[in-house]
Amino acid sequence: MKRLILATVLVVLGFVSVNAQSVYDLRINEVMLTNKTNYIDSYGERSAWIEIVNTGYNSVNVAGCFLTNDISNPMKYRIPSADPITLIPQQQYLVFFADGKSVHGTLHLNFTLDSINRFVALIAPDGSTLIDSVTLPAIGIDKSFVRLPNGKGEWRISELATPNSTNELFETHVSTGERFVKFDPFGVIMAIIAMSVVFTALLVLYRLFKLTARLVQKPIRIEFRKSKVAKAEAVEEVAEEVPGEVFAAISAALYFYETEKHDHESTVLTIERVSRRYSPWSSKLYGLQQTPNRIIVHRKLN
Amino acid sequence: MEQSASFFSFLLDNLTQFLSFTGFSNFTVGHGIMIVVGLIFIYLAIAKEFEPMLLVPIGFGIIVGNIPFTPGYQIGVYESGSVLNYLYFGVLKGIYPPLIFLGIGAMTDFSALISNPKLMLIGAAAQFGIFGAYMLALLLGFSPQEAGAIGIIGGADGPTAIFLSSKLAPELMGAIAISAYSYMALVPVIQPPVMKLLTTQKERLIRMKPPRQVSKLEKIMFPIIGMLLTTFIVPSGLPLLGMLFFGNLLKESTVTKRLADTAKGPMIDIVTILIGLTVGASTQATTFLTPKSVGIFALGAASFVVATFTGVMFVKFLNLFLKEGNKINPLIGNAGVSAVPDSARVSQVVGLEYDKTNHLLMHAMGPNVAGVIGSAVAAGILLSFLA
């Protein structure tokens, strides 16, 4: 039993860690190998670059992860953790320059990419788990290798590089709804799916509450039966024990009640607080010194 | 002489400018039509008592929103920085509908549903009105998002309609909200003919078993289980379903009476005023009076008819599998649309027409509140597929 619980906890934890907003939301999104007229770094130089996208809906810090161009050396460049620039907001991008000049800053890698070194990998902070990788084909000058849609689509060569920006810049955006309606122009599939989900949700709720009702009513029934037995026993005991004076008293009370000779209590004892909102003792008005009113008497002048 | 001439020209200029700012100068036929619509709403609410809590604020909002003015002075509901625009923000960003659901949850007694859970299925069946309208809207050439937003009118749930349209088709929100609330007010007119047409005399006389007493434990468990289950299936319905069940827990736990009283009292009243007024004001003739609005009104009516039809027919279908004595009166099928408690009241009224002693209200409340859950789930599905 303990093993089962432990296994369940581990599975749940594993599931959570895989699905949580983390470095596993990061993807290599665009890479340029030969940069002649394209993106310039803050030193005014052009070099190969790698764009990372955060596909999640929380900010993700890429610090601590590794970038490499050699899979046999996964920890080639560790992204420094002291730089706030490494925090990538949701659905945003960060560009690293593969110029071999890591002394230029966090975004400058200690390796280069060119027509020979065409492999890029993003490794998790543990130094071994591969988050994402890509091997580029021989692409021309100022052309980039992009993913469409961002972070999850197919890789393709693009004439127009879009560093630090969406790859879908020049694509006609097709919404989820439009894509769905392409397959379901009359809405029949939508109706079937949605009605199935609504029915399933309410059917499960129905079954659950039928079950709950049974479970809840069961103890009540048992208690009811128990109390019935107990009552029957008590009645028997009472039948034996009750003296005649009690019956006389009950009869008298009933007689007075019927003939309305019982007097009504005029007062009722209560523990409820009597609400009295105003009291002259707590009134500020009475505590203040009153300004004397000036009385003006108009006399009629003859 | 020259001075007085310049003074008069100055006065004339200012007077002309003042006149150009008045409503009379900016008046269009559209404004006139919408003001008349607003007046009709107010008349229906006060004289006929059709949903007065909704139609009075909406009707007055329509008049407020259609007072002609010169744009640029931060007056109108669509002008950024204006007071009305700030109030409209709650509609635009879908803030008010979940708050209304909180109040509805605190008001609703789910006992009828808990005592006879199979009534939940009727609430599910009536949601076909949403998808019937969605299909019709697609056929009429509306975009998928617009069709989804229009379809939700069939759910007969104002806050849900506003919430979904604010996410899918904000430009149609005014028309969709007005259409949804109008037809909800017209439930006693739209539903009875459909109900009578689909049922036989024998079916209308079916007597249902009285609902059993529901324990406090069951009432407390319902919002918790309901919330967990429905939102795990459709997380996009979380704002609506979460608030609905939270409000109900406040009520049923009996230890948070003050919070429940606030949710179902002052808070829902404030939000109803704000949502009604601003939704009404959003029907500014310049943005509202379009052929699309007419289409939305036509589809709204169709969706209500389809929802009533499927609700009643589903009960008849269900009765095929139920034993004699356990059968459900098909007149409660219409209550699957979530216009609480109007559609349940319609079941009661129509039922009494045929048997003066057959009270269906308590039974109809079951599918009615299930309809609220069903329409919120349906909205969640549309949101996740089309957004």
Side-chain angles (χ1 to χ4, degrees):
Chain A
M1 188 62 190
K2 275 182 184 172
R3 276 184 187 177
L4 188 73
I5 294 168
L6 193 67
T8 315
V9 169
L10 284 174
V11 167
V12 169
L13 283 175
F15 184 77
V16 168
S17 67
V18 167
N19 285 281
Q21 306 279 335
S22 64
V23 289
Y24 297 97
D25 287 323
L26 299 173
R27 291 285 177 277
I28 299 169
N29 197 41
E30 189 173 1
V31 184
M32 178 174 273
L33 291 180
T34 319
N35 181 0
K36 293 284 181 198
T37 60
N38 198 259
Y39 205 40
I40 304 171
D41 65 17
S42 47
Y43 290 86
E45 292 171 4
R46 289 190 175 89
S47 58
W49 50 262
I50 303 157
E51 183 190 70
I52 308 285
V53 63
N54 171 13
T55 59
Y57 289 90
N58 265 356
S59 296
V60 175
N61 203 334
V62 70
C65 291
F66 297 89
L67 276 166
T68 183
N69 63 349
D70 180 5
I71 197 65
S72 62
N73 183 9
M75 296 197 275
K76 200 164 192 178
Y77 179 75
R78 185 180 183 276
I79 301 167
S81 50
D83 198 339
I85 203 167
T86 54
L87 187 71
I88 311 177
Q90 56 163 338
Q91 309 282 308
Q92 291 299 309
Y93 315 86
L94 189 64
V95 172
F96 289 90
F97 296 96
D99 53 3
K101 296 173 184 169
S102 54
V103 287
H104 278 189
T106 305
L107 301 180
H108 295 262
L109 308 176
N110 58 357
F111 59 84
T112 55
L113 293 176
D114 46 45
S115 53
I116 300 158
N117 298 304
R118 289 185 276 119
F119 174 77
V120 186
L122 178 66
I123 312 288
D126 63 5
S128 57
T129 311
L130 181 72
I131 300 172
D132 198 14
S133 69
V134 61
T135 305
L136 283 83
I139 52 175
I141 296 164
D142 288 335
K143 285 181 185 171
S144 68
F145 201 45
V146 301
R147 251 181 179 165
L148 273 168
N150 287 310
K152 51 192 167 190
E154 294 285 310
W155 283 98
R156 63 169 87 161
I157 298 168
S158 173
E159 296 287 331
L160 297 155
T162 55
N164 258 333
S165 147
T166 175
N167 295 344
E168 295 165 47
L169 206 59
F170 303 100
E171 292 282 309
T172 315
H173 183 71
V174 182
S175 69
T176 322
E178 280 158 338
R179 251 178 280 152
F180 190 86
V181 169
K182 251 184 195 174
F183 293 102
D184 178 30
F186 303 109
V188 180
I189 298 170
M190 165 71 94
I192 292 169
I193 294 173
M195 285 306 288
S196 313
V197 175
V198 175
F199 262 106
T200 311
L202 291 175
L203 195 71
V204 175
L205 210 57
Y206 153 54
R207 294 303 307 175
L208 263 173
F209 270 87
K210 218 173 167 191
L211 189 75
T212 316
R214 271 187 207 159
L215 290 173
V216 170
Q217 280 174 309
K218 222 174 187 179
I220 294 170
R221 258 186 236 153
I222 293 163
E223 275 175 27
F224 182 64
R225 269 184 220 146
K226 273 184 189 169
S227 64
K228 254 188 177 176
V229 174
K231 264 184 193 169
E233 283 168 6
V235 166
E236 277 170 25
E237 280 173 20
V238 166
E240 285 168 11
E241 285 174 13
V242 177
E245 297 91 79
V246 174
F247 288 116
I250 293 168
S251 308
L254 282 171
Y255 172 75
F256 283 126
Y257 178 74
E258 291 289 327
T259 52
E260 291 184 359
K261 280 185 179 168
H262 189 272
D263 58 335
H264 291 277
E265 279 97 359
S266 53
T267 52
V268 178
L269 187 68
T270 175
I271 56 165
E272 277 183 28
R273 186 174 163 273
V274 177
S275 153
R276 193 177 289 158
R277 291 177 182 195
Y278 175 77
S279 160
W281 295 105
S282 59
S283 172
K284 280 183 185 172
L285 192 71
Y286 284 90
L288 290 171
Q289 199 174 6
Q290 300 293 309
T291 321
N293 289 327
R294 188 186 295 170
I295 301 164
I296 300 166
V297 181
H298 295 278
R299 283 187 187 167
K300 204 176 176 184
L301 295 170
N302 289 323
Chain B
M1 188 69 188
E2 208 174 276
Q3 240 181 357
S4 66
S6 67
F7 174 74
F8 276 115
S9 69
F10 165 78
L11 204 65
L12 198 68
D13 284 350
N14 278 282
L15 211 61
T16 318
Q17 196 184 357
F18 170 73
L19 283 174
S20 72
F21 286 161
T22 62
F24 300 105
S25 167
N26 295 294
F27 184 80
T28 63
V29 182
H31 288 120
I33 293 170
M34 289 314 296
I35 288 171
V36 171
V37 171
L39 289 172
I40 293 170
F41 271 43
I42 293 172
Y43 167 76
L44 288 175
I46 297 170
K48 302 282 174 189
E49 288 191 27
F50 283 171
E51 295 274 358
M53 305 276 256
L54 298 169
L55 293 194
V56 168
I58 290 179
F60 200 80
I62 294 174
I63 299 172
V64 167
N66 284 283
I67 301 297
F69 61 86
T70 312
Y73 289 87
Q74 296 190 335
I75 303 165
V77 72
Y78 294 112
E79 285 188 301
S80 110
S82 79
V83 175
L84 281 174
N85 187 260
Y86 279 117
L87 298 178
Y88 188 56
F89 180 81
V91 177
L92 207 59
K93 295 290 169 193
I95 297 166
Y96 298 148
L99 292 178
I100 289 205
F101 259 62
L102 180 70
I104 292 172
M107 278 179 188
T108 309
D109 184 4
F110 285 101
S111 303
L113 198 63
I114 301 167
S115 72
N116 192 2
K118 65 173 169 281
L119 299 179
M120 282 184 203
L121 301 177
I122 307 170
Q127 303 314 315
F128 194 77
I130 294 175
F131 300 100
Y134 168 75
M135 287 193 268
L136 282 172
L138 280 182
L139 277 176
L140 287 176
F142 284 95
S143 76
Q145 287 85 357
E146 288 173 345
I150 293 166
I152 202 69
I153 298 172
D157 202 317
T160 310
I162 292 170
F163 180 76
L164 193 69
S165 53
S166 71
K167 305 281 176 206
L168 291 180
E171 68 284 358
L172 300 182
M173 190 166 49
I176 288 168
I178 297 290
S179 176
Y181 281 122
S182 310
Y183 291 124
M184 273 158 67
L186 292 173
V187 154
V189 181
I190 299 171
Q191 289 196 325
V194 183
M195 292 157 71
K196 288 174 187 173
L197 190 76
L198 298 174
T199 51
T200 62
Q201 180 74 15
K202 193 184 164 193
E203 284 171 332
R204 289 175 211 142
L205 296 174
I206 291 175
R207 271 177 186 271
M208 293 172 68
K209 277 185 184 171
R212 70 172 172 84
Q213 187 81 26
V214 176
S215 69
K216 189 185 167 188
L217 179 66
E218 283 175 279
K219 282 186 183 179
I220 292 171
M221 282 168 71
F222 183 80
I224 297 168
I225 295 176
M227 151 80 186
L228 283 171
L229 185 81
T230 51
T231 52
F232 262 78
I233 295 174
V234 193
S236 34
L238 187 61
L240 298 176
L241 291 164
M243 292 301 241
L244 176 80
F245 288 122
F246 173 53
N248 191 245
L249 185 64
L250 289 180
K251 172 181 177 275
E252 298 301 353
S253 66
T254 64
V255 289
T256 49
K257 192 175 174 300
R258 268 173 47 201
L259 302 188
D261 286 346
T262 306
K264 71 180 178 192
M267 200 200 70
I268 199 169
D269 289 347
I270 292 168
V271 182
T272 304
I273 291 170
L274 292 175
I275 206 171
L277 191 76
T278 47
V279 160
S282 71
T283 62
Q284 214 167 282
T286 42
T287 55
F288 185 80
L289 278 182
T290 59
K292 271 188 176 176
S293 299
V294 180
I296 289 167
F297 269 85
L299 286 167
S303 68
F304 265 67
V305 173
V306 174
T308 312
F309 176 87
T310 47
V312 175
M313 289 309 284
F314 183 76
V315 177
K316 289 174 70 129
F317 173 72
L318 213 58
N319 275 343
L320 296 175
F321 306 97
L322 296 174
K323 287 177 193 163
E324 204 61 51
N326 275 340
K327 289 198 188 292
I328 303 169
N329 192 318
L331 289 180
I332 69 165
N334 73 302
V337 301
S338 61
V340 183
D342 286 2
S343 48
R345 216 180 283 147
V346 168
S347 308
Q348 163 82 356
V349 171
V350 178
L352 286 180
E353 272 180 38
Y354 297 96
D355 182 351
K356 290 269 180 261
T357 58
N358 193 7
H359 296 278
L360 294 172
L361 188 66
M362 271 314 285
H363 303 292
M365 279 309 286
N368 210 185
V369 291
V372 178
I373 303 170
S375 61
V377 172
I381 298 163
L382 285 169
L383 200 59
S384 51
F385 274 104
L386 304 173

